């Protein structure tokens, strides 16, 4: 298991790995700039934070096809459907996280359904028109070059 970041629960996770004597099976990674490599190798993503960085992480994970159990917030409730594209839990409900992780670990049909549904949401919501997306991307790169060039002058 790989745990990314230095969130408020990290110290508790470290303690629990020692109590359960699994510290050799858990890797804690701090200050990860780009989590995509970790996401692409993950089987399940569990997100307990509800801040903007973690919102971005769940969008990347959905695009990568990672089934998720995450803390509920307004933005995530607007994007994902509990039980169809992800499991949404109250941030302090440890039992809900535990139960939903167990479901995902033991039910391949639900994992596959979450992957398909979450990727469809991302595609529909954020990449509706691929040509428009490519044009916006190209324009943003050109603007970045233009801004750099004007700053140098």
């Amino acid at each position: 298991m790989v745990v990314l970041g230095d969130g408020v629960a990290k110290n508790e996770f470290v303690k629990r790995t020692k109590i359960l004597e699994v510290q050799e099976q858990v890797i804690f990674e701090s200050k990860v700039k780009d989590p995509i490599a970790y996401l692409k190798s993950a089987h399940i993503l569990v997100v307990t934070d509800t801040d903007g960085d973690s919102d971005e992480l769940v969008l990347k994970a959905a695009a990568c096809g990672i089934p998720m159990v995450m803390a509920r917030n307004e933005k995530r409730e607007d994007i994902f459907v509990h039980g169809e594209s992800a499991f949404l839990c109250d941030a302090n409900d440890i039992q809900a996280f535990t139960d939903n992780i167990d479901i995902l670990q033991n039910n391949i049909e639900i994992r596959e359904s979450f992957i398909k549904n979450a990727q469809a949401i991302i595609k529909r919501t954020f990449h509706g028109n691929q040509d428009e997306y490519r044009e916006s991307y190209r324009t943003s790169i050109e603007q970045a070059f233009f801004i750099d060039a004007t700053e140098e002058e």
Side-chain angles (χ1 to χ4, degrees), residues 11 33 38 42 52 54 68 78 80 89 91 108 113 116 128-129 133:
N11 290 336
K33 290 185 180 187
Y38 292 100
S54 62
M68 297 177 285
D78 286 344
F80 300 100
C89 307
I108 193 164
S113 175
K116 179 181 148 198
N129 182 326
Y133 174 77

Side-chain angles (χ1 to χ4, degrees), residues 7-20:
V8 295
K10 182 180 178 181
N11 290 336
E12 185 62 29
F13 291 155
V14 171
K15 281 187 216 174
R16 287 180 186 239
T17 61
K18 290 177 183 174
I19 291 169
L20 297 171

